[in-house]
């Protein structure tokens, strides 16, 4: 659960889970491991290294052996979240036991839902989806000296991480952060981004015309795309995780860029 400060966008919160694994994500991954690795027939799908290590117990009856399996699973659960990346080590190991594509899909769905900074490739490797520069750009844009900008970026993060996620409004808040900064620069709190960005040069902020055009188009995208600034219409496709992530990173980077031009 978010703290009061996080809900009020006072305390900065991380964009993606990169250096930690929440208890909720750990539990989701554990449930997937139980479903795809252990399954209903635990004796048949028991990991090979456990079988070899405890082979001398095989003369015991099935119930006793299942007790040992239960012990193993408890030990595994306790280890799953130890260390920042332990859970991802386990994912890669268990992929060697079950290379089922549905196993990968289930894991990636959990990683998406809990805003992990990682995904599992088709080869069973856990790979980052954001580099350090992207994460730092968002963190920097959420802690500027301009409160309206910080509030919009923090709202974008909060909506991005909401359960269920609200990608449309996250995108709206991301572009609003750029709009808020441009309004501050030109000293006109009612100017839309499309108008404000054209007046930046009057305040000594000179940006390449291509970049100016790109953000005008991004603003147009948020105004025209169904479900962002307007209600969804029949046939509209709701924004996705990737759409919202791209907008948050791009708008954060542009905010940081403009601030650097101001200094």
């Amino acid at each position: 659960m978010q703290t009061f400060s996080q809900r009020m966008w006072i305390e900065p919160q991380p964009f993606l889970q990169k250096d930690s694994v929440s208890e909720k994500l750990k539990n989701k991954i554990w449930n997937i491991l139980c479903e795809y690795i252990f399954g209903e027939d635990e004796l048949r799908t028991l990991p090979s290294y456990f079988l070899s290590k405890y082979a001398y117990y095989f003369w015991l009856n099935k119930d006793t052996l299942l007790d040992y399996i239960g012990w193993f699973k408890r030990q595994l659960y306790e280890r799953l979240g130890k260390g920042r990346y332990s859970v991802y080590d386990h994912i890669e190991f268990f992929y060697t036991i079950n290379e089922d594509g549905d196993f990968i899909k289930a894991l990636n769905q959990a990683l998406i839902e809990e805003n992990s900074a990682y995904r599992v490739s088709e080869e069973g490797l856990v790979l980052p989806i954001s580099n350090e520069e992207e994460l730092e750009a968002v963190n920097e844009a959420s802690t500027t000296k301009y409160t309206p900008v910080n509030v919009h970026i923090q709202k974008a993060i909060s909506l991005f991480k909401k359960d269920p996620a609200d990608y449309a409004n996250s995108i709206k808040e991301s572009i609003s952060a750029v709009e808020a900064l441009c309004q501050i620069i030109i000293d006109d709190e009612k100017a839309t981004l499309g108008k404000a960005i054209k007046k930046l040069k009057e305040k000594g902020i000179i940006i390449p015309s291509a970049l100016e055009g790109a953000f005008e188009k991004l603003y147009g995208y948020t105004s025209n795309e169904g479900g962002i600034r307007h209600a969804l219409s029949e046939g509209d496709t709701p924004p996705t995780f990737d759409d919202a992530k791209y907008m948050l990173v791009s708008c954060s980077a542009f905010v940081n860029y403009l601030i650097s031009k101001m200094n």
Side-chain angles (χ1 to χ4, degrees):
M1 179 181 295
Q2 292 180 337
T3 65
F4 170 81
S5 296
Q6 289 174 332
R7 293 196 304 273
M8 296 297 103
W9 307 292
I10 300 170
E11 176 187 329
Q13 52 184 310
F15 168 34
L16 294 170
Q17 286 198 61
K18 179 179 181 294
D19 294 323
S20 62
V21 177
S22 68
E23 195 68 19
K24 191 173 180 182
L25 176 56
K26 172 185 169 183
N27 287 333
K28 284 188 176 183
I29 291 175
W30 171 249
N31 289 334
I32 292 168
L33 291 179
C34 286
E35 178 181 355
Y36 285 91
I37 301 302
F38 295 104
E40 296 181 0
D41 188 350
E42 294 186 308
L43 286 177
R44 180 176 57 81
T45 58
L46 193 63
S48 58
Y49 73 92
F50 180 84
L51 289 175
S52 61
K53 186 174 182 180
Y54 296 97
Y56 59 91
Y57 287 121
F58 271 45
W59 59 272
L60 300 172
N61 61 45
K62 180 177 179 180
D63 290 339
T64 305
L65 184 56
L66 286 174
D67 287 340
Y68 282 104
I69 296 173
W71 170 86
F72 165 77
K73 291 172 70 175
R74 289 192 296 274
Q75 294 297 310
L76 174 61
Y77 180 79
E78 290 179 4
R79 291 186 56 206
L80 198 60
K82 289 183 178 179
R84 290 186 297 175
Y85 306 112
S86 175
V87 65
Y88 300 119
D89 291 336
H90 283 81
I91 286 175
E92 291 188 346
F93 172 79
F94 280 110
Y95 176 76
T96 65
I97 297 171
N98 186 345
E99 299 182 1
D100 184 358
D102 288 339
F103 178 43
I104 300 297
K105 289 180 182 178
L107 287 169
N108 280 328
Q109 184 59 37
L111 295 173
I112 289 173
E113 291 172 354
E114 299 308 316
N115 295 292
S116 169
Y118 304 93
R119 296 290 182 271
V120 185
S121 71
E122 293 182 358
E123 294 75 29
L125 298 175
V126 178
L127 302 174
I129 59 169
S130 284
N131 56 39
E132 290 290 344
E133 290 75 16
E134 289 180 332
L135 296 173
E136 181 57 34
V138 176
N139 292 335
E140 185 179 343
S142 68
T143 55
T144 71
K145 63 181 180 180
Y146 304 105
T147 300
V149 176
N150 300 345
V151 169
H152 283 302
I153 293 294
Q154 277 296 313
K155 283 183 178 180
I157 294 172
S158 181
L159 292 163
F160 183 85
K161 297 174 63 175
K162 186 180 176 183
D163 186 14
D166 187 347
Y167 296 136
N169 280 311
S170 177
I171 291 172
K172 178 182 176 182
E173 293 297 337
S174 294
I175 201 70
S176 293
V178 177
E179 186 175 63
L181 182 58
C182 289
Q183 290 171 346
I184 291 170
I185 294 172
I186 68 170
D187 193 24
D188 182 356
E189 64 181 19
K190 295 183 178 180
T192 63
L193 178 58
K195 293 180 180 179
I197 205 167
K198 292 182 181 298
K199 294 185 177 182
L200 293 177
K201 59 176 68 72
E202 297 176 10
K203 299 295 182 177
I205 307 297
I206 310 299
I207 63 176
S209 58
L211 189 57
E212 177 182 320
F215 268 86
E216 286 179 347
K217 289 178 180 178
L218 278 180
Y219 184 71
Y221 158 74
T222 64
S223 299
N224 297 326
E225 190 72 9
I228 296 179
R229 289 183 179 269
H230 307 288
L232 277 171
S233 300
E234 187 175 354
D236 285 337
T237 302
T240 65
F241 172 96
D242 292 324
D243 297 329
K245 173 179 174 289
Y246 172 79
M247 288 296 292
L248 185 48
V249 171
S250 298
C251 291
S252 294
F254 193 55
V255 161
N256 299 332
Y257 170 74
L258 289 178
I259 291 175
S260 70
K261 299 285 267 185
M262 296 167 66
N263 298 330

